Amino acid sequence: MAWQKEKIVGSCFAVGAAFAVGASFLHLFLKGELPLGLGLVPFRKRKPVRVYMDGCFDMMHYGHCNALRQARALGDQLVVGVVSDEEIIANKGPPVTPLHERMIMVKAVKWVDEVIPDAPYAITEEFMKRLFDEYQIDYIIHGDDPCVLPDGTDAYALAKKAGRYKQIKRTEGVSSTDIVGRMLLCVRERSNSQSHSSLQRQFSHGHNSPRFEDGASSAAGTRVSHFLPTSRRIVQFSNGKGPGPGARIIYIDGAFDLFHAGHVEILRRARELGDFLLVGIHNDQTVSGKRGAQHPIMNLHERSLSVLACRYVDEVIIGAPWEVSKDTITTFDIWKVVHGTVAESDDFQKEEGNPYAVPKSMGIFEVLESPLDISTSTIIKRIVANHEAYQACLSSSSSFFYRSSCCFTLANVSVNVFLCEYRNVI
């Protein structure tokens, strides 16, 4: 029996030694440091596939985010070029959001690894060489929609010729032009100067056109988005991970309409306070009831996808209640409820009818200083204030063809007609 025990012990020792040696070789293999004396070829780590996508990313929306998500799926690292203000002005007219705000927006998208500011509007030989050499880009990505420069040439002809071009599918149902149309219609409705029938005729053609419910009255709000998300799209945008044990869950809510740099920065501040950021997004009826029939500009599901695409957000409540109740706090194990100083209403400061009365009474409510003084109203006011500049751009550039993906398209015929007819309204 003794010799059998010795045999078993010896076998265990041999297995253990072999495992240790194997583990050591595996460690060296993964590090690419296997000794050449063993007759083995040194292992080299696979170079990550780096892909590049550019755009103006003005009035950034979930369509832009979905394009970036698709681009990231074609490689291991996504580098994004954001076109400069000067280039946009020269080619398309003044942007609604300046470069530093557009940079904040793009950097906040969860699928973006690196951002290049002041990217050129058209990819030249020189810039393409810089992409390949300095940024180690393997492929240049763009959507499947036509991309033509003012001189009629393909904006990505050089990348295609070099065999370094890949294409993604355009996100249907949304565009910057459509969003601007909705905002201008909002202004028109508030002015109450004309019926919406002529607008309905003007926006009745083209995939960029706002849709209207038949028979809808202006007072009731005439812009109805027909965007319908699928469960697959929501999953694609979601993190898929819940809070860990003992996580400090921060809750912030709002409309998050026309998702902008101000939203991004307050979400970043909120996320820094804890381990998990839960964002409540109010439904369309709640927003309309609090801010007027012309709001929101983007519907609940559009707003939800924009927020979900933000890297600082861990989870969202789609259609969150206006008042933060004890049940909500308990159900989601909320550690702290926060609100920014910049807001469309001052309800969070009121003594009566305060939606945060419960978290205040529990001592878990905190007001955060908003890093940027930007609101949804700010974006709408910029459209109105820049109207004359847009008109000048349209009159001087109406015969050109423009890049349509990731850009604020002023050359769209619907917007041309709209701006011309309603120049005295706004």
Side-chain angles (χ1 to χ4, degrees):
M1 295 296 291
W3 67 270
Q4 289 179 329
K5 289 182 179 179
E6 291 175 359
K7 185 176 181 181
I8 293 172
V9 171
S11 298
C12 291
F13 177 79
V15 171
F19 179 80
V21 172
S24 298
F25 269 86
L26 177 60
H27 176 70
L28 292 172
F29 176 76
L30 293 175
K31 290 181 66 179
E33 296 177 358
L34 280 177
L36 291 174
L38 295 178
L40 298 175
V41 178
F43 173 76
R44 293 184 179 178
K45 291 182 181 178
R46 180 180 70 85
K47 175 185 175 293
V49 176
R50 287 168 63 83
V51 296
Y52 172 83
M53 188 173 195
D54 63 3
C56 301
F57 301 104
D58 198 16
M59 297 295 300
M60 195 164 182
H61 50 71
Y62 67 90
H64 292 136
C65 297
N66 191 45
L68 295 173
R69 180 191 66 80
Q70 292 182 77
R72 179 63 170 74
L74 295 177
D76 302 305
Q77 297 171 357
L78 173 60
V79 180
V80 180
V82 182
V83 178
S84 69
D85 293 341
E86 293 74 22
E87 287 273 288
I88 298 176
I89 291 171
N91 288 276
K92 302 181 72 65
V96 177
T97 49
L99 178 63
H100 73 275
E101 290 180 23
R102 292 184 285 118
M103 288 287 291
I104 289 172
M105 295 297 294
V106 174
K107 286 179 178 179
V109 176
K110 64 174 69 173
W111 300 288
V112 175
D113 297 290
E114 188 176 341
V115 180
I116 302 174
D118 295 314
Y121 187 77
I123 295 180
T124 61
E125 285 273 13
E126 181 183 358
F127 185 70
M128 189 168 70
K129 187 177 187 303
R130 182 184 169 200
L131 288 177
F132 296 158
D133 296 342
E134 181 180 342
Y135 292 97
Q136 297 295 297
I137 298 300
D138 295 290
Y139 296 101
I140 294 172
I141 315 296
H142 185 66
D144 58 5
D145 50 321
C147 189
V148 184
L149 294 172
D151 62 1
T153 60
D154 185 349
Y156 294 90
L158 293 175
K160 292 176 180 178
K161 184 178 179 181
R164 308 282 283 272
Y165 176 83
K166 286 191 176 184
Q167 194 165 276
I168 58 171
K169 185 175 176 57
R170 181 187 182 277
T171 304
E172 295 295 336
V174 65
S175 70
S176 297
T177 303
D178 168 39
I179 296 170
V180 170
R182 296 188 209 180
M183 285 191 291
L184 292 173
L185 184 57
C186 168
V187 174
R188 203 280 304 169
E189 285 176 352
R190 285 187 298 187
S191 71
N192 211 17
S193 61
Q194 298 189 27
S195 70
H196 80 287
S197 59
S198 60
L199 282 177
Q200 186 164 355
R201 287 195 299 272
Q202 290 163 17
F203 283 108
S204 62
H205 302 289
H207 65 270
N208 285 336
S209 305
R211 307 286 183 83
F212 299 85
E213 289 289 357
D214 293 336
S217 67
S218 177
T222 56
R223 298 165 328 285
V224 179
S225 170
H226 291 266
F227 169 71
L228 297 173
T230 61
S231 58
R232 184 168 64 91
R233 180 54 50 81
I234 293 175
V235 168
Q236 287 171 342
F237 274 54
S238 300
N239 282 349
K241 295 180 181 179
R248 296 170 300 168
I249 300 174
I250 308 297
Y251 180 74
I252 186 170
D253 62 358
F256 297 98
D257 198 14
L258 296 176
F259 196 63
H260 51 71
H263 291 139
V264 168
E265 287 296 272
I266 194 63
L267 291 175
R268 178 182 60 79
R269 283 287 312 277
R271 182 63 175 80
E272 290 172 349
L273 296 178
D275 309 305
F276 191 92
L277 181 59
L278 176 65
V279 181
I281 304 175
H282 301 145
N283 64 32
D284 297 345
Q285 291 74 23
T286 297
V287 177
S288 181
K290 296 295 180 180
R291 296 211 54 220
Q294 297 82 19
H295 298 276
I297 305 297
M298 310 291 285
N299 74 25
L300 174 61
H301 295 108
E302 293 174 314
R303 293 181 282 121
S304 297
L305 288 182
S306 292
V307 174
L308 276 171
C310 180
R311 66 172 69 251
Y312 308 119
V313 176
D314 295 290
E315 183 65 285
V316 303
I317 300 176
I318 302 175
W322 175 254
E323 295 184 356
V324 182
S325 65
K326 180 67 180 295
D327 184 55
T328 300
I329 293 170
T330 303
T331 300
F332 294 99
D333 195 20
I334 294 170
W335 179 68
K336 184 173 289 187
V337 178
V338 300
H339 196 285
T341 52
V342 175
E344 296 291 346
S345 71
D346 60 353
D347 286 354
F348 68 99
Q349 297 176 324
K350 293 180 178 178
E351 292 296 328
E352 298 292 331
N354 192 314
Y356 304 100
V358 172
K360 276 189 171 185
S361 68
M362 296 172 65
I364 62 170
F365 180 75
E366 182 177 343
V367 176
L368 302 179
E369 186 70 30
S370 298
L372 294 177
D373 187 13
I374 303 173
S375 66
T376 298
S377 295
T378 304
I379 304 299
I380 297 176
K381 287 175 182 176
R382 287 177 183 176
I383 292 289
V384 176
N386 288 343
H387 171 62
E388 292 302 324
Y390 295 152
Q391 282 290 91
C393 173
L394 291 170
S395 62
S396 64
S397 307
S398 59
S399 63
F400 289 162
F401 293 93
Y402 292 97
R403 293 171 67 179
S404 59
S405 177
C406 302
C407 294
F408 173 55
T409 310
L410 291 169
N412 183 278
V413 175
S414 305
V415 177
N416 280 351
V417 176
F418 181 93
L419 288 172
C420 289
E421 181 166 346
Y422 290 94
R423 61 185 180 276
N424 295 323
V425 175
I426 63 175

